[in-house]
């Protein structure tokens, strides 16, 4: 009742009908005297309706007017809510991440969420906005009132390999939506559990609805260092097998290429265990690493395969100031990149995709993409580092808390400071456009020798990310993940929707699930947030309520009864 009436307590006024009816039956009646002209009609009526209980209502137009007036007055006092949503704004956010491909709800979780979204849209008469939640929140459409076009857009949605942001990130994204002053936000998801702070919103109601039943799932996942090519050992690949299954399971993992199966391996997994499997001396990509398990052990779609494509290029990177032994180490670690020592002849740099420099540059580098390791004189301490608010990609890929003492030497670096310490700058960047080509120039206050320290595993990964950042589209990759910033620059013939191979010019690129978190498909917890101040929403609903019309009709009925009573008397 609370959804139909703004003041449902007012419906208790219906009880007033009973005293009015009771008084009508027990009140004294005028004495009637029969006359000869009415006797015949009385006999006819008694044969038509003998002893009818409703006979007393035959001429009781006053009673009907009184009951109707009371009923309408009670409805007016209860404040009918009127058409749902009129004058209000509803946001519907649909989770389109990889875990929504799970088929514990048939045909999958996304289809169940889309069905619920259509229901929310059809019943609403106010403003409607539909959003998509992947690694961010993206607006799909914005219309005033329900339109069949919205339903068509929702029905065309397909599950993707994106990863759902964590609950804190989603809460921040919802807060950004709340700043647009909607009256309601519905988030349709599967694995999220969000606790809303008490001051989340002053006027927006938020509902988190979960579309999931089971949590059992087993999948495979690789990372940027999974694939490697060695001239002597050939191609190798390593993946991780994740078990979110509540009992011990046996799976098979193998490599497939051109319909042939290589190295089929049986693996026994204990509940909630993770194992790594490495394949050596594999055929050259493209190939697929496939997981085979029982149907009830893999409820999701897309996480039972890992796609690997062949890099289409081998970029040339020049090295300046590095020792020959370092160049050999780089060539072994990054065999897909052609490293070449700079001899001092500037003409040979014409074909360079990027340059790595150790120490002060000995030549003009202003027209090239490069990363220069130019350390200062004193190492910094972990307590003396400060971060800017920049969302620089390299900041996210290095944990400065893990830096060993003496690995970074802050100094005054050119370009735009990105990471600063109390003694200077640790990393800065400068971007130039030369002859229509964007050039990225990175300055690093790190000692280049630490990149080749076998005891420090952080910096080889950091160097990989630096090369990836400098080379951009030229960086050789065996696969991409959903959400990779470089996917937008690839110029794919079609927009990726699920993991697999996608055509790119004369080759194919492999795209896989974005994060291993998507293997966990355990249902989240539904929750709601009710704003402290809902006065604005109540005011809009009251404006659309027909209570004034009901009260007006009730007054007219009372007036009509009074006029009839005067005429009869």
């Amino acid at each position: 009742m609370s959804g139909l009436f703004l003041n449902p307590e007012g419906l208790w006024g219906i009880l007033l009908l009973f005293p009015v009816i009771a008084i009508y039956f027990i009140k004294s009646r005028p004495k009637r005297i029969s006359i000869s002209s009415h006797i015949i009609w009385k006999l006819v009526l008694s044969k038509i309706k003998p002893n009818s209980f409703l006979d007393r209502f035959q001429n009781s137009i006053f009673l009907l007017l009184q009951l109707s007036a009371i009923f309408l007055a009670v409805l007016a006092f209860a404040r009918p809510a009127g058409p749902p949503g009129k004058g209000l704004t509803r946001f519907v956010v649909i989770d389109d991440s990889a875990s929504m491909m799970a088929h514990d709800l048939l045909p999958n979780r996304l289809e169940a969420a889309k069905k619920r979204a259509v229901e929310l849209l059809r019943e609403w008469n106010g403003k409607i906005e539909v959003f998509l939640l992947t690694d961010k929140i993206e607006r799909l459409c914005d219309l005033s009132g329900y339109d069949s076009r919205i339903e068509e857009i929702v029905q065309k949605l397909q599950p993707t390999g994106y990863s759902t942001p964590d609950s804190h990130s989603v809460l921040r994204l919802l807060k950004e939506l709340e700043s647009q002053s909607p009256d309601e936000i519905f988030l349709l998801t599967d694995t999220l559990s969000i606790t809303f702070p008490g001051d989340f919103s002053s006027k927006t109601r938020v509902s988190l609805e979960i579309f999931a039943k089971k949590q059992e799932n087993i999948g495979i996942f690789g990372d940027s260092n999974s694939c490697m090519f060695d001239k002597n050992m050939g191609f190798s690949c390593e993946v991780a097998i994740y078990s979110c299954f509540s009992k011990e399971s046996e799976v098979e993992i193998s490599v497939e290429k051109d319909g042939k199966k290589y190295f089929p391996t049986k693996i026994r997994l204990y509940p909630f265990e993770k194992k790594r499997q490495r394949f050596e001396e594999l055929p050259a990509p493209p190939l697929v690493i496939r997981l085979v398990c029982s149907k009830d052990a893999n409820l999701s779609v897309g996480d039972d395969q890992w796609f690997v494509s062949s890099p289409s290029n081998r970029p040339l990177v020049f090295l300046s100031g590095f020792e020959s032994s370092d160049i050999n180490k780089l060539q072994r670690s990054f065999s897909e990149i052609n490293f070449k020592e700079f001899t001092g002849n500037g003409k040979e740099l014409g074909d360079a995709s990027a340059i790595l420099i150790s120490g002060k540059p000995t030549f003009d580098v202003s027209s090239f993409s490069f990363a220069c390791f130019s350390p200062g004189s004193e190492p910094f301490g972990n307590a003396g580092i400060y971060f800017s608010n920049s969302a620089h990609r390299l900041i996210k890929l290095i944990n400065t808390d893990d830096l060993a003492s003496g690995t970074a030497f802050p100094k005054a670096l050119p370009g735009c400071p990105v990471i600063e310490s109390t003694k200077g700058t640790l990393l800065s960047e400068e971007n130039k456009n030369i002859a229509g080509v964007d050039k990225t120039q990175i300055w690093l206050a790190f000692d280049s020798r630490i990149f080749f320290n076998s005891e420090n595993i952080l910096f080889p990964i950091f160097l990989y990310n630096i090369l990836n950042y400098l080379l951009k589209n030229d960086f050789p990759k065996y696969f991409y993940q959903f959400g990779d910033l470089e996917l937008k620059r690839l110029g794919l013939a079609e927009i990726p929707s699920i993991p697999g191979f996608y055509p790119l010019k004369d080759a194919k690129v492999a795209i896989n699930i974005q994060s291993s978190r998507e293997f966990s498909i355990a249902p989240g917890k539904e929750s709601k947030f009710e704003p402290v101040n809902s006065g604005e929403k109540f005011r809009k609903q009251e404006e659309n309520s027909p209570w004034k019309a009901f009260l007006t009709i009730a007054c007219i009925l009372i007036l009509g009864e009074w006029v009839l009573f005067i005429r009869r008397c």
Side-chain angles (χ1 to χ4, degrees), residues 441-456:
Q441 300 175 348
I442 301 291
W443 299 85
L444 302 145
F446 297 98
D447 190 336
S448 62
R449 292 171 296 181
I450 61 177
F451 280 89
F452 307 100
N453 182 351
S454 59
E455 297 178 359
N456 194 321

Side-chain angles (χ1 to χ4, degrees), residues 491-502:
L492 293 174
E494 57 180 304
I495 299 175
S497 57
I498 58 175
F501 291 114
Y502 289 86

Side-chain angles (χ1 to χ4, degrees), residues 306-417:
W306 192 258
F307 299 88
V308 182
S309 60
S310 177
S312 57
N313 61 323
R314 194 165 183 257
L316 176 61
V317 175
F318 278 91
L319 300 172
S320 174
F322 290 87
E323 298 178 0
S324 297
S325 60
D326 295 337
I327 297 176
N328 293 332
K329 290 179 181 179
L330 282 171
Q331 193 65 71
R332 288 197 302 268
S333 300
F334 305 99
S335 57
E336 299 83 6
I337 298 176
N338 182 19
F339 291 99
K340 188 175 182 180
E341 185 176 6
F342 176 63
T343 61
N345 183 1
K347 293 182 180 180
E348 63 182 340
L349 295 176
D351 297 330
S353 300
I355 306 173
L356 292 182
I357 306 168
S358 178
K360 185 178 180 180
T362 59
F363 54 96
D364 183 15
V365 295
S366 59
S367 58
F368 297 96
S369 291
F370 67 82
C372 181
F373 299 91
S374 180
S377 57
E378 297 182 40
F380 82 101
N382 289 348
I385 186 169
Y386 297 91
F387 295 93
S388 71
N389 293 325
S390 171
H392 195 280
R393 183 177 178 183
L394 292 178
I395 292 179
K396 299 179 179 179
L397 300 174
I398 182 172
N399 183 3
T400 54
D401 292 334
D402 292 338
L403 291 179
S405 177
T407 56
F409 300 77
K411 64 178 296 185
L413 295 175
C416 175

